[in-house]
Amino acid sequence: MIGIIRTLWLTFLHLFHKNDTVPYPETKPYLSPRYRGRIILSRDPNGEERCVACNLCAAACPVDCISLQKGEKDGRWYPEFFQINFSRCIFCGFCEEACPTYAIQLTPDFEMSEYVRQNLVYEKQDLLISGTGKYPDYSFYNVSGLAIPGKDKGEAEREAAPIDIHALLP
Amino acid sequence: MIVPMPIIIVVTFAAVMGVAAVSTMVERRLLGFFQDRPGPNRVGPFGMFQVVADAVKMLFKQDWVPPFADKPVFLLAPIVGFMAVLLEFGVIPITPHWSIAGDLNVGLLFVFAMMGLAVYSVVLAGWSSNNKFALLGGMRAAAQMISYEVFMGLSLLGVVMTAGSFSLHDIVLAQSRCWFVIPQFLGCIVFLIAGIAETHRLPFDLPEGENELGAGFHTEYSGMKFGMFFLAEYAGVAMISALITTLYLGGWGGPILPPFLWFAIKVVFLICFFILLRAALPRPRYDQLMSFGWKILLPVSLINIVLTGAILLWQAGA
Ligand code: SF4
Ligand code: SF4
């Protein structure tokens, strides 16, 4: 009996509490930078595409919504096309984890509704941004041991000069 | 001021429908506030046109009669429930001069007769739907409403004895010095609880217990037929509030403000209290509901009658 009256009273007091609801379109909620929303493809600090078309993201994707084709130019790989089907994407972020070059990144934006399902298939030009995203200084070819035009073996950051296997010196 | 009868009838019924419709919106907003959220607030200022939107939605829904239903009864059930509630309002004295039936000398009995009819609506709905859940809901409703009507009637006897009349008009006049809620406190509490059970409102909404019965007796109803059950339920809440106001809270009586305003204030307050009950209390189990009724409310209302009778005799003798 006392319990019932106390419940009534406490519930009544909630009339004077502040609402927890965020009136969404007018007030946007804060989304942390790590929020897993719309996917983008970023560029390295030199403005080149970061993606090296390694297909790791497509392999990691649990719903198989990434599709890309490798192309090659000056010894570098790049995606000829790169599609993400956002009508299937579950925003799990596995692609971002799998990517060795920080090319594919998830962003704090989720307002991507469409009236036509087909419009949810984003092409490379829709995905590619002009900046570096979350990792401003990272450039895959600057740290990898791969030789590309303008950067030979042993010239990458923190990379020792290659061992001359024909020399007899220790 | 003498108002022609047709105007009284039309205005009263229109007002009841209006109150029932608006209270659906008020309920949702209030429930929202009780749960720290704003509730429906998008349609029109403060979400006031939500009612209109709901009504339009309900009207344009497909009005479907299941092929396995007993069609005439299926159609009849919501109408019976709705009419019964509306008729109850006929005897409520809203102000000294504003009541459809005027000063009906068996007003209270008439209200009870109509409440008895309202049971039919629920039982017939459950029966004619030819659906297990609906039937279970209807059975529950029948048992619940019939047994709670007993305590309701018994709890009122104190009021009738004190006022010496079945006429609601006389009962209000008898409260000009002291509202019956004070001498008849026990009766008022029992009446309130029985009233909730009678309108099968939460926390006593076992006939519709969503988690067990789908939607209970109106599982098969759609469109405006469902809307009638819905409106009847809210009109029933307004009805119980109006009855409590009339019987225990002095009806239209009160200082300074005009009688109608006093009546409206009390009724609105009680409706909000009903909504608070819904927000705060969990639904009891069915056997708990029944044993609470027969083992607690029945003795309490009997004690109330005995005490009232003893006091009245003592006063008369003194
Ligand atoms: S977020 Fe998950 S589902 Fe979406 S593209 Fe990346 S791996 Fe696939
Ligand atoms: S986005 Fe990353 S993981 Fe996917 S193909 Fe390009 S480099 Fe590989």
Side-chain angles (χ1 to χ4, degrees), chain A residues 40-41 50-58 66 68 79 82 95-96 98-105:
Chain A
I40 50 107
L41 287 174
R50 268 179 176 157
C51 177
V52 295
C54 67
N55 262 314
L56 283 177
C57 52
I66 303 181
L68 67 147
F82 197 112
C95 47
E96 180 171 1
C99 181
T101 67
Y102 291 142
I104 194 165
Q105 293 178 10

Side-chain angles (χ1 to χ4, degrees), chain B residues 104-140:
Chain B
L104 189 63
N105 59 357
V106 290
L108 207 45
L109 291 182
F110 180 80
V111 168
F112 268 83
M114 288 304 131
M115 273 182 191
L117 269 188
V119 182
Y120 278 101
S121 134
V122 176
V123 177
L124 290 181
W127 177 257
S128 65
S129 296
N130 243 334
N131 169 320
K132 294 186 215 58
F133 290 146
L135 183 60
L136 279 174
M139 302 296 287
R140 280 185 179 188

Side-chain angles (χ1 to χ4, degrees), chain B residues 186-233:
Chain B
L186 275 183
C188 182
I189 298 294
V190 173
F191 185 82
L192 179 73
I193 297 174
I196 304 167
E198 193 61 32
T199 48
H200 40 87
R201 281 280 304 175
L202 285 112
F204 293 151
D205 68 332
L206 287 124
E208 338 174 355
E210 287 86 355
N211 47 358
E212 307 146 8
L213 296 182
F217 62 91
H218 57 61
T219 307
E220 297 290 349
Y221 281 87
S222 58
M224 213 45 218
K225 289 205 283 298
F226 167 74
M228 274 171 129
F229 275 123
F230 203 59
L231 274 185
E233 175 173 335

Side-chain angles (χ1 to χ4, degrees), chain A residues 1 4 7-9 11-26, chain B residues 29-30 32-39 41-42 189 273 276-282:
Chain A
M1 191 61 206
I4 289 178
T7 315
L8 284 177
W9 174 243
T11 313
F12 174 72
L13 287 185
H14 272 270
L15 214 49
F16 307 105
H17 285 199
K18 213 173 136 307
N19 281 339
D20 285 333
T21 311
V22 180
Y24 158 60
E26 290 93 35
Chain B
R29 294 272 352 226
L30 269 184
F33 291 144
F34 288 137
Q35 297 163 0
D36 292 351
R37 58 189 173 82
N41 62 350
R42 293 285 159 157
I189 298 294
F273 182 69
L276 175 63
L277 283 179
R278 169 175 183 173
L281 298 182

